[in-house]
C-alpha cells in the first residue's frame, strides 16, 4: 500500500506526462517567436445569404508552424490566453482585418463585404482594450460599419455592466457586435435587450443536430424568434448540409456560415471565389 501511494506521489515523473509538459513548453517557446517569424495568418470563412451570395467573412487565426504545419486555434488559443500573448496576437488579427477592409473598400466587387473578428474575453477585459482598438481604427482608417466584433456570453455573465460600458464606447465609434456561440452560455435574456448588439450567432452544436433532434430544433427556433423580436440579425454557424440550410431558411434564418458553403480559406482563395461569382 505504501508503495502504491508512493507511486502516486511521484506521478510527476511519469514519462508520458513529462513528454506532454516538454511539448507544451516547446509550443509556448515557438509561439513567442511566431510574430517575428511572420507565422500568424488570417483565414476567411464566407458568410452567405439565402441566395448564396457572400456578404462577408469571419476572420479566423491560423498559425503556420514550420514543422507542425497549420496549427488549429483549439490548440493555441488557450495557450495564447494563459501566456497573455492573446492581447498582442488578437490586436494583430484585428489590424490585419482592418487593413483588408480598407483595400476592399476601393474595389467595387469587395466593397460591401463585412469582416467579423473574434475577441477573446481576456482581450475584452484588458484595461487598455478600447484605447488599443481606437489606435488601430485611426491608423488603418477602416470603414467601421464593415467591421463586426464577435464576443461570447462569458463576458456578459461575469461582468455585464462592464461589458455593456465597453461595448457602448465602441458602438459609438461605429463598431458592430455579434454574440458568438449563442445558446451555449448562461447570459440572462434581460441583459441581451440592453446590450448594443447587432447579431446573434447560433452555435454550431445546435445546428449540427438539425433537423432530426426535436429538442434542438426547438432551441434554434427560439433563438431565431428571439433575434427577430430584439431586431437583431441572426446567423447560423456550422451549416454542413442542404437539409440544415433548408430548415434554417424555412424558420427565418437567412444568413449562414459552414462547410456546406465553404471552409475557412486563405485571402487569395477567398478573393478568387468572389471574383468567380462576379464574372
Ligand atoms: P468560432 O469563433 O466559433 O469559429 C467557428 C469555428 O467553427 C472555426 O473553427 C471554423 O473553422 C469552424 N467551422 C465553421 N464552419 C464549420 C462547419 O460547418 N463544421 C465544423 N465542424 N466546423 C466549422 P477554428 O477556425 O478552428 O476556430 C476555433 C475557435 O478559435 C473560434 O471559434 C474562435 O473561438 C477561436 N478563434 C479563431 N480565430 C481567433 C482570433 O483571431 N481571435 C480569438 N480571440 N479567437 C479566435
Ligand atoms: Mg467566431
Ligand atoms: Mg462560433
Ligand atoms: Mg465555436
Amino acid at each position: 500500500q505504501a508503495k502504491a501511494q508512493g507511486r502516486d506521489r511521484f506521478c510527476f515523473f511519469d514519462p508520458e506526462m513529462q513528454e506532454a509538459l516538454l511539448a507544451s513548453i516547446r509550443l509556448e517557446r515557438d509561439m513567442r517567436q511566431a510574430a517575428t517569424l511572420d507565422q500568424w495568418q488570417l483565414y476567411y470563412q464566407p458568410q452567405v445569404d439565402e441566395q448564396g451570395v457572400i456578404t462577408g467573412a469571419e476572420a479566423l487565426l491560423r498559425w503556420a508552424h514550420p514543422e507542425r504545419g497549420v496549427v488549429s486555434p483549439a490548440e493555441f488559443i488557450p495557450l495564447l490566453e494563459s501566456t497573455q500573448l492573446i492581447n498582442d496576437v488578437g490586436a494583430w488579427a484585428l489590424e490585419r482585418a482592418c487593413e483588408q477592409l480598407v483595400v476592399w473598400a476601393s474595389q467595387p466587387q469587395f466593397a460591401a463585404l463585412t469582416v467579423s473578428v473574434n475577441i477573446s474575453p481576456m482581450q475584452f477585459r484588458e484595461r487598455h482594450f478600447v484605447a488599443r482598438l481606437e489606435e488601430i481604427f485611426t491608423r488603418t482608417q477602416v470603414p467601421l460599419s464593415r467591421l463586426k466584433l464577435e464576443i461570447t456570453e462569458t463576458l456578459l455573465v461575469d461582468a455585464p455592466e462592464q461589458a455593456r460600458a465597453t461595448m457602448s464606447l465602441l458602438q459609438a465609434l461605429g463598431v458592430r457586435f455579434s454574440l458568438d456561440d449563442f445558446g451555449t452560455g448562461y447570459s440572462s435574456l434581460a441583459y441581451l435587450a440592453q446590450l448594443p448588439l447587432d447579431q446573434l450567432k447560433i452555435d454550431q452544436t445546435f445546428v449540427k443536430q438539425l433537423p432530426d433532434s426535436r429538442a434542438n430544433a426547438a432551441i434554434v427556433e427560439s433563438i431565431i424568434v428571439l433575434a427577430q423580436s430584439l431586431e437583431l440579425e441572426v446567423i447560423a454557424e456550422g451549416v454542413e448540409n442542404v437539409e440544415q440550410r433548408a430548415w434554417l431558411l424555412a424558420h427565418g434564418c437567412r444568413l449562414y456560415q459552414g462547410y456546406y458553403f465553404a471552409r475557412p480559406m486563405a485571402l487569395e482563395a477567398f478573393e478568387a471565389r468572389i471574383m468567380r461569382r462576379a464574372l
Side-chain angles (χ1 to χ4, degrees), residues 42 90-100 135-136 139-140:
L42 218 46
W92 176 86
L94 179 65
E95 183 150 356
R96 182 77 274 286
C98 289
E99 287 168 356
Q100 198 51 54
E135 201 182 283
I136 292 173
R139 190 161 56 231
T140 57

Side-chain angles (χ1 to χ4, degrees), residues 28-252:
E28 184 177 330
R29 179 204 57 198
D30 291 354
M31 213 175 59
R32 288 184 186 280
Q33 300 173 337
T36 37
L37 297 174
D38 250 357
Q39 290 169 352
W40 296 117
Q41 293 177 353
L42 218 46
Y43 269 36
Y44 297 83
Q45 185 177 31
Q47 298 180 334
V48 308
D49 67 14
E50 77 256 44
Q51 330 277 12
V53 174
I54 298 176
T55 61
E58 176 172 11
L60 294 157
L61 200 55
R62 294 292 181 265
W63 179 13
H65 192 281
E67 288 125 44
R68 293 159 165 255
V70 179
V71 185
S72 143
E75 237 182 299
F76 65 76
I77 298 279
L79 201 54
L80 281 176
E81 287 183 329
S82 67
T83 53
Q84 316 267 316
L85 285 167
I86 190 70
N87 290 323
D88 290 337
V89 180
W92 176 86
L94 179 65
E95 183 150 356
R96 182 77 274 286
C98 289
E99 287 168 356
Q100 198 51 54
L101 279 168
V102 171
V103 172
W104 284 342
S106 63
Q107 297 171 259
Q109 63 274 43
F110 299 118
L113 295 173
T114 60
V115 174
S116 300
V117 177
N118 292 284
I119 302 292
S120 109
M122 193 173 268
Q123 270 175 284
F124 188 94
R125 290 195 202 101
E126 196 238 339
R127 193 208 290 252
H128 305 293
F129 178 65
V130 174
R132 217 169 160 153
L133 262 56
E134 279 187 285
E135 201 182 283
I136 292 173
F137 300 157
T138 308
R139 190 161 56 231
T140 57
Q141 291 295 299
V142 60
L144 279 170
S145 62
R146 306 268 167 238
L147 182 68
K148 284 196 184 111
L149 300 184
E150 291 197 0
I151 57 169
T152 54
E153 286 173 90
T154 337
L155 285 176
L156 314 179
V157 176
D158 296 350
E161 263 317 312
Q162 198 205 328
R164 194 162 69 100
T166 303
M167 288 171 75
S168 298
L169 285 172
L170 290 167
Q171 187 203 34
L173 302 175
V175 179
R176 288 152 201 258
F177 287 96
S178 176
L179 197 50
D180 202 359
D181 305 339
F182 187 68
T184 58
Y186 299 92
S187 58
S188 117
L189 294 183
Y191 251 107
L192 277 189
Q194 294 169 33
L195 292 169
L197 278 173
D198 296 277
Q199 185 183 70
L200 293 184
K201 198 165 192 183
I202 307 169
D203 189 67
Q204 45 184 290
T205 53
F206 303 119
V207 175
K208 209 160 269 163
Q209 300 178 61
L210 290 176
D212 301 333
S213 154
R214 284 188 60 193
N216 251 277
I219 292 170
V220 175
E221 212 173 331
S222 321
I223 296 176
I224 296 168
V225 170
L226 178 68
Q228 284 164 348
S229 22
L230 295 175
E231 293 180 23
L232 301 175
E233 205 175 79
V234 64
I235 182 168
E237 77 176 339
V239 180
E240 292 188 350
N241 58 54
V242 68
E243 290 80 19
Q244 291 164 349
R245 195 208 89 117
W247 189 96
L248 286 160
L249 178 60
H251 290 83

